[in-house]
Amino acid sequence: MTLACDVALAVRIERAEARLLADAVARVARRVGERGDVLSRPLAGGIAAFAEPGSPLNKVAGLGFDGALPETELEAVETAFARRECPVRMELSSLADPSLGARLTRRGYVLEGFEDVLGLALPAAGLPRAPAGVRVRPSGPEEIEAWLDVTVAGFLSPDTQGVPSNESFEEEVPRRVIRDFAQADGMTRYLAERDGVTAGGGKVRIADGLAQLCGAATLPAHRRRGVQTALLAERLGAADRAGCDLAVVTTRPGSKSQENARRRGFALLYTRAVLVRPV
């Protein structure tokens, strides 16, 4: 069955993304304590978040589904980001209020790229078996550093297929961010091994019947060997067993991750435009 997306489904997904962002930023706040300058505030049904300088968590997500965005609230968020010398990065769904994009453009926001949201109705039929020699298993809290080693290394060596990302980060920034996301409520980490060697990792957050697949990465030497397929199948199986009715994943347009997801039945639900207002 091909999954179609309406505004109600987009609202469900965007709310889940906003909650995940809020949870991750709360982890940052606990980590940095009083020496930090963390921002996490509701904004017209979404969230405006600042974690720390240079973090990909510094963004506004989930807007455009909860009525008008008050001018005073938008100005307050822009001022808060400017005080932190941080551009305002808006991730805006193509199913959100269409007037919002025009309004942001008039305020000096510039289109910098897109990301695609794909979905799969659960339970999923015909999940693929892991290729010979590939094994995926849950990763416990005692393995957090080993899990970070492989996922951060994979993240920092992105696949060149598809539209390239317009973001770049120093190594310690994604390591901190991935750690914060990995410890959010409802998140389970997985390690993949190929011929007994650690080859990749991924995670899934299960909450309110929705499985958010995120953070999957494979070391370059093990790519095109079925590791991503095995990670995807294991996480979808866990979502099935947990009673989820929907799995979602966000990818770069045309990327290998998107190709793998679509091969396993995921359908494109909608696209997010990334609009940035410079400092």
Side-chain angles (χ1 to χ4, degrees), residues 4 9 14 31 38 112 159 164 222 239 252 271 274 278:
L9 182 55
E14 292 295 292
R31 169 166 57 80
V38 173
E112 286 205 350
D159 199 298
H222 298 279
R252 289 185 293 107
T271 296
V274 179

Side-chain angles (χ1 to χ4, degrees), residues 17-269:
E17 289 290 322
R19 288 194 297 270
L20 178 54
L21 178 57
D23 286 352
V25 172
R27 289 278 176 180
V28 176
R30 289 194 287 271
R31 169 166 57 80
V32 300
E34 294 182 356
R35 62 185 173 83
D37 193 14
V38 173
L39 170 71
S40 180
R41 60 183 292 174
L43 182 65
I47 180 176
F50 176 89
E52 55 189 332
S55 173
L57 299 180
N58 302 339
K59 61 184 180 179
V60 180
L63 293 185
F65 295 101
D66 196 29
L69 170 59
E71 189 77 9
T72 54
E73 293 187 19
L74 178 57
E75 288 179 352
V77 165
E78 291 171 345
T79 299
F81 274 74
R83 183 176 67 78
R84 293 166 171 83
E85 299 182 348
C86 179
V88 186
R89 175 187 170 94
M90 294 271 188
E91 295 180 355
L92 187 63
S93 168
S94 56
L95 292 175
D97 178 356
S99 69
L100 187 53
R103 181 179 170 192
L104 294 173
T105 300
R106 289 194 297 269
R107 296 181 68 87
Y109 287 78
V110 177
L111 178 65
E112 286 205 350
F114 299 93
E115 56 186 33
D116 290 338
V117 179
L118 292 83
L120 176 69
L122 298 176
L127 292 179
R129 293 179 177 273
V134 177
R135 171 175 173 257
V136 177
R137 59 177 177 79
S139 177
E142 73 284 355
E143 295 181 303
I144 182 66
E145 297 303 328
W147 183 88
L148 283 167
D149 287 344
V150 66
T151 53
V152 172
F155 176 84
L156 292 174
S157 300
D159 199 298
T160 56
Q161 179 172 320
V163 178
S165 172
N166 63 342
E167 295 182 285
S168 60
F169 308 101
E170 299 295 330
E171 180 175 354
E172 282 308 307
V173 172
R175 190 177 184 92
R176 291 195 300 268
V177 172
I178 292 171
R179 181 195 292 273
D180 293 327
F181 260 118
Q183 298 180 97
D185 293 340
M187 194 75 78
T188 301
R189 298 184 300 274
Y190 292 87
L191 274 174
E193 298 171 348
R194 178 170 168 260
D195 296 331
V197 178
T198 301
K203 55 187 183 291
V204 60
R205 174 180 161 110
I206 294 176
D208 301 323
L210 179 68
Q212 293 168 276
L213 308 176
C214 46
T218 304
L219 296 176
H222 298 279
R223 289 173 183 168
R224 311 296 193 271
R225 298 294 187 273
V227 174
Q228 282 290 320
T229 296
L231 280 165
L232 180 62
E234 184 67 26
R235 291 178 294 165
L236 288 176
D240 275 351
R241 294 188 292 273
C244 294
D245 67 314
L246 177 67
V248 294
V249 61
T250 301
T251 70
R252 289 185 293 107
S255 64
K256 187 64 181 179
S257 294
Q258 183 173 110
E259 179 184 309
N260 288 337
R262 299 197 71 158
R263 187 183 297 122
R264 301 308 168 192
F266 280 78
L268 177 63
L269 301 181

Side-chain angles (χ1 to χ4, degrees), residues 82 209 276:
V276 178

